[in-house]
């Protein structure tokens, strides 16, 4: 059968071709970047090459406390995100389980969700100041409301027959939540955690753009002031790589925690 | 019937809100099911079979009338009334064995925590696994099993805590014909061995007669009992019985009633009209 460049529709490919294609997908932009920087004739202030950026990372590491910037940023992301998780998980669980709670809280959450988190920044500075709490608050506001709604949806997606089967086996309300709804929703919940972690990184930069004197986002802003384009590149790439690493970590946990979902035929 | 009544419905009424009006899904249903009996419910689509079964399970609240188990009116779902659904009711995160012994995680079934009771439960899970032919897949997860195997697990899980009554809503509806026949003989064998009382919903008349000692035929709009038929066959059934004249006659009789009550006639009229129009073609439409 002729399948063309795209291959067959919705079919798995073997591991080797997968890895080759991943490499192609990642290396091509790198090559294009390198070629454009080398032969494009652009001023390195506008477009630094990969080598220059890499050297910049080394300088940053040795002389400019890269690890400090990195760790404070990771800490902020984790703090804001964890705070969201701690509140969003139980709240979403109740919204998804009880129609009455849903009626009270969901429209409100939906409304706040559409208010741009960035616009809250002046208020946050007014109310909380410019300390660490303020940065955590920006990340929290950016992720929390979306997370609540996604958790509620994950819980609602638990097939009703699974719940009803539990009821006809004599499960109490609490047992239904603990032994049916939660375990059934867990894989979807972990995916929600993974996705919201990505957004937390986005809001980290917002938080650090506003008021900070450390962190990757702050470093990017400072580099702009000194026209260190290579450092801007380095900062963006580092955030991307960190995000990717965390994402892969979540996927690994998913595979280890829910092996029955990942058996390939 | 000599055995005592396990489940009794009297004058059970259930309405559903539908837009501005209401659907009378159950119109004063009265029915007694006796200990150890296998009762099947058939009828045209929308006649209220599922609604009645779900009311018996306590999953659907009825508006008036009484549903009683061993004389006591039910209030919501209860472990003495286990239910087997058509599909998607197994817990994909648990192995087959853990699905079957799921009730052991629930407080109602584990008040007694003696080692003897734990051992008895383990033995029961093993016995059910063997009875249902699940030894090979006991440690697999449900998504690795065929539809037929999954329903075996669902039945074993429902039987685990020795319910007073087993409620089944088209449990074999999604299976192919051959698998279904195997499952028929299996459920008959198991219900005999476990001496359990079964109420079984199906839209397949042959299935209803082959499995049931009594067949309850329901009719739609409003949902009601049209007639109850005793099946003139010994309790132990075998596939060749489907060719017996009394089987065939009963099947024809019940099918007639279902057709008569389902409003099939109007459908036939409409089809005839439609095909007339189609045959007339574009010339006829001018
Ligand atoms: N949750 C509901 N809300 C509104 N109407 C309902 C609901 N459940 C059932 N009904 C209506 O009640 C009537 C009986 O439905 P029920 O599902 O019990 O029929 P059934 O005999 O099981 O049909 P089928 O053979 O198609 O499964 C139908 O008219 C149906 O539209
Ligand atoms: Mg039905």
């Amino acid at each position: 059968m002729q399948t063309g460049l795209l291959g067959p529709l919705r079919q798995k490919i073997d591991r080797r071709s997968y890895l080759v294609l991943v490499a192609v997908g990642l290396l091509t932009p790198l090559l294009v970047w390198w070629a454009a920087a080398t032969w494009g004739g652009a001023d390195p202030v506008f477009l630094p090459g990969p080598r220059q950026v890499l050297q910049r990372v080394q300088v940053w590491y040795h002389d400019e406390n890269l690890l400090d910037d990195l760790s404070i940023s990771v800490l902020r992301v984790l703090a804001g995100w964890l705070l969201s998780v701690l509140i969003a998980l139980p709240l979403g669980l109740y919204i998804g389980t009880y129609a009455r709670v849903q009626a009270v809280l969901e429209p409100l959450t939906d409304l706040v969700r559409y208010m741009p988190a960035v616009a809250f920044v002046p208020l946050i500075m007014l109310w909380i100041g410019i300390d660490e709490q303020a940065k955590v608050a920006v990340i929290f506001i950016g992720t929390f409301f979306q997370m609540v709604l996604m958790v509620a949806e994950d819980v609602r997606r638990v097939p009703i027959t699974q719940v009803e089967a539990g009821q006809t086996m004599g499960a109490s309300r609490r047992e239904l939540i603990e032994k049916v709804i939660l375990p059934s929703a867990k894989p979807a919940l972990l995916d929600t955690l993974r996705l919201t972690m990505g957004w937390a990184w986005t809001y980290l930069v917002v938080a650090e753009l506003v008021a900070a004197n450390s962190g990757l986002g702050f470093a990017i802003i400072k580099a702009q002031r000194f026209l260190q384009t290579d450092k801007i590149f380095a900062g963006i790439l580092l955030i991307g790589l960190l995000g990717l690493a965390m994402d892969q970590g979540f996927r690994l946990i998913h595979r280890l925690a829910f092996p029955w979902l990942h058996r390939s035929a | 019937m000599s055995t005592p009544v396990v489940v009794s419905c009297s004058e059970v009424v259930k309405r559903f809100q539908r837009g501005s009006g209401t659907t009378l899904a159950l119109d004063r249903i009265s029915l007694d099911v006796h200990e150890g009996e296998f009762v099947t419910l058939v009828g045209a689509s929308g006649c209220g079979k599922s609604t009645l079964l779900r009311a018996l399970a306590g999953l659907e609240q009825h508006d008036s009338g009484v549903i009683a188990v061993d004389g006591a009116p039910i209030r919501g779902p209860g472990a003495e009334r286990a239910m087997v659904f058509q599909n998607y009711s197994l817990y994909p995160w648990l192995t087959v064995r853990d699905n079957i012994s799921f009730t052991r995680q629930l407080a109602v079934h584990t008040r007694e925590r003696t080692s003897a009771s734990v051992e008895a439960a383990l033995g029961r899970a093993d016995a059910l696994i063997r009875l249902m032919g699940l030894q090979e897949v006991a440690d697999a997860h449900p998504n690795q099993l065929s539809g037929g195997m999954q329903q075996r697990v669902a039945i074993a899980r429902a039987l685990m805590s020795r319910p007073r009554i087993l409620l089944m809503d088209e449990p074999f509806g999604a299976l192919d014909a051959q698998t279904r026949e195997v499952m028929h003989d299996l459920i008959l064998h198991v219900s005999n061995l476990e001496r359990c009382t079964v109420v079984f919903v199906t839209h397949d008349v042959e299935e209803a007669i082959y499995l049931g000692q009594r067949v309850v035929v329901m009719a739609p709009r409003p949902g009601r009992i049209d007639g109850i038929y005793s099946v003139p066959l010994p309790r132990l059934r075998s596939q060749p019985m489907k060719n017996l004249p009394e089987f065939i006659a009963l099947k024809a009789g019940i099918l007639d009633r279902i057709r008569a009550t389902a409003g099939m006639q109007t459908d036939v009229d409409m089809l005839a009209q439609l095909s007339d129009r189609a045959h007339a073609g574009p010339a006829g439409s001018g």
Side-chain angles (χ1 to χ4, degrees):
Chain A
M1 197 173 68
Q2 181 69 322
T3 52
L5 192 60
L6 293 177
L9 191 83
R10 293 199 62 162
Q11 260 175 41
K12 293 237 159 82
I13 54 175
D14 62 87
R15 183 118 192 108
R16 232 194 72 170
S17 359
Y18 177 77
L19 289 176
V20 168
L21 290 174
V22 167
V24 169
L26 288 176
L27 288 179
T28 311
L30 193 66
L31 271 176
V32 171
W33 174 28
W34 175 76
T38 312
W39 295 302
D43 188 327
V45 170
F46 288 104
L47 186 63
R51 259 178 83 104
Q52 195 188 339
V53 170
L54 206 62
Q55 278 164 358
R56 184 73 226 184
V57 171
Q58 278 166 349
V59 172
W60 194 353
Y61 176 78
H62 287 297
D63 309 332
E64 297 165 12
N65 299 325
L66 169 62
L67 285 188
D68 288 352
D69 283 332
L70 213 123
S71 49
I72 188 73
S73 286
V74 169
L75 270 180
R76 282 169 187 155
V77 165
L78 284 181
W81 177 81
L82 270 176
L83 191 65
S84 283
V85 172
L86 278 181
I87 306 174
L89 270 186
L91 205 59
L93 179 65
Y94 274 89
I95 292 178
T97 310
Y98 297 105
R100 288 183 193 179
V101 183
Q102 182 189 357
V104 174
L105 292 180
E106 204 171 43
L108 181 69
T109 316
D110 247 327
L111 174 69
V112 181
R113 177 168 72 115
Y114 281 106
M115 301 178 180
V118 183
F120 279 93
V121 167
L123 283 180
I124 291 173
M125 289 169 75
L126 190 67
W127 290 337
I128 308 183
I130 52 171
D131 298 339
E132 278 314 305
Q133 293 101 299
K135 285 141 218 156
V136 172
V138 173
I139 296 172
F140 174 82
I141 289 180
T143 51
F144 173 73
F145 297 96
Q146 315 264 357
M147 197 191 280
V148 172
L149 295 175
M150 288 171 76
V151 168
E153 189 57 30
D154 292 340
V155 170
R156 268 197 295 270
R157 289 245 174 92
V158 172
I160 187 67
T161 37
Q162 287 182 7
V163 178
E164 291 184 338
Q167 286 179 301
T168 61
M169 285 188 278
S172 66
R173 216 144 67 151
R174 191 193 164 133
E175 284 171 332
L176 282 177
I177 291 179
E178 283 177 3
K179 297 183 187 312
V180 178
I181 294 177
L182 266 184
S184 185
K186 252 189 215 163
L189 288 175
L190 189 62
D191 274 331
T192 293
L193 294 188
R194 178 170 63 82
L195 289 172
T196 49
M197 173 64 93
W199 299 336
W201 276 100
T202 311
Y203 288 101
L204 166 83
V205 179
V206 173
E208 289 184 345
L209 291 186
V210 178
N213 43 30
S214 60
L216 294 174
F218 169 72
I220 292 175
I221 293 304
K222 206 172 71 176
Q224 181 205 4
R225 236 176 283 149
F226 296 106
L227 230 58
Q228 295 171 322
T229 321
D230 48 359
K231 191 161 180 180
I232 298 179
F233 267 66
I236 293 175
L237 278 175
L238 281 172
I239 290 178
L241 287 174
L242 275 175
L244 183 68
M246 288 199 179
D247 197 90
Q248 291 298 316
F250 272 109
R251 286 176 195 271
L252 181 68
I253 295 172
H254 207 283
R255 274 196 299 276
L256 295 178
F258 315 116
W260 73 91
L261 282 175
H262 295 274
R263 250 181 307 261
S264 50
Chain B
M1 210 36 81
S2 51
T3 56
V5 172
V6 180
V7 182
S8 80
C9 305
S10 59
E11 303 275 304
V12 172
V13 173
K14 172 73 190 175
R15 286 188 184 82
F16 283 112
Q17 219 63 45
R18 209 182 55 187
S20 52
T22 58
T23 308
L24 189 50
L26 299 178
D27 182 15
R28 286 164 294 151
I29 302 283
S30 295
L31 177 69
D32 285 346
V33 180
H34 296 259
E35 175 109 60
E37 204 183 6
F38 202 125
V39 171
T40 50
L41 304 181
V42 272
S45 182
C47 67
K49 307 180 292 286
S50 296
T51 306
L52 179 56
L53 200 76
R54 290 172 57 80
L56 290 176
L59 293 171
E60 203 84 74
Q61 265 184 7
H62 49 290
D63 298 319
S64 65
V66 178
I67 298 175
V69 175
D70 294 325
I74 62 163
R75 297 198 318 266
E80 80 286 355
R81 284 160 285 139
M83 180 129 166
V84 178
F85 299 81
Q86 183 166 351
N87 42 26
Y88 306 123
S89 74
L90 292 177
Y91 298 144
W93 62 95
L94 296 176
T95 62
V96 165
R97 183 187 303 279
D98 291 342
N99 263 285
I100 292 174
S101 45
F102 179 77
T103 52
R104 296 301 300 165
Q105 291 193 33
L106 305 178
V108 266
H109 305 286
T110 47
R111 295 227 170 85
E112 243 189 306
R113 275 181 205 279
T114 61
S115 60
S117 78
V118 171
E119 210 161 290
L122 286 179
R124 172 118 181 108
D126 271 332
L128 283 169
I129 286 171
R130 252 178 286 121
L131 185 61
M132 292 309 230
L134 293 166
Q135 300 96 316
E136 308 270 291
V137 297
D139 296 314
H141 283 270
N143 65 353
Q144 295 173 288
L145 306 186
S146 65
M149 287 304 231
Q150 290 186 14
Q151 285 312 76
R152 289 173 191 236
V153 180
I155 294 169
R157 183 179 67 172
L159 288 172
M160 176 69 190
S161 57
R162 298 183 195 279
R164 287 288 280 144
I165 182 157
L166 188 61
L167 306 168
M168 307 177 93
D169 192 357
E170 307 206 20
F172 309 140
L175 306 182
D176 62 85
Q178 286 77 27
T179 312
R180 208 148 69 200
E181 285 191 348
V182 174
M183 295 302 286
H184 288 162
D185 290 327
L186 181 67
I187 190 67
L188 282 174
H189 177 65
V190 169
S191 69
N192 246 325
L193 216 63
E194 294 268 318
R195 290 190 228 297
C196 59
T197 311
V198 183
V199 179
F200 187 107
V201 165
T202 174
H203 58 253
D204 178 349
V205 176
E206 188 171 289
E207 180 171 79
I209 299 173
Y210 187 67
L211 295 180
Q213 292 164 297
R214 279 197 299 159
V215 179
V216 177
V217 177
M218 294 180 67
R221 287 178 298 271
R224 61 193 189 276
I225 293 180
D226 183 72
I228 300 181
Y229 302 79
S230 283
V231 178
L233 294 172
R235 169 125 208 194
L236 274 178
R237 309 279 161 89
S238 58
Q239 295 293 338
M241 286 181 190
K242 289 180 182 170
N243 302 319
L244 292 175
E246 49 270 44
F247 192 103
I248 293 169
L250 185 57
K251 184 174 160 187
I254 291 176
L255 274 172
D256 264 350
R257 284 309 302 159
I258 293 178
R259 278 196 206 101
T261 55
M264 224 37 141
Q265 220 54 49
T266 54
D267 284 355
V268 170
D269 288 347
M270 198 177 70
L271 280 178
Q273 274 178 17
L274 281 176
S275 57
D276 280 352
R277 222 174 291 161
H279 284 308
S285 67

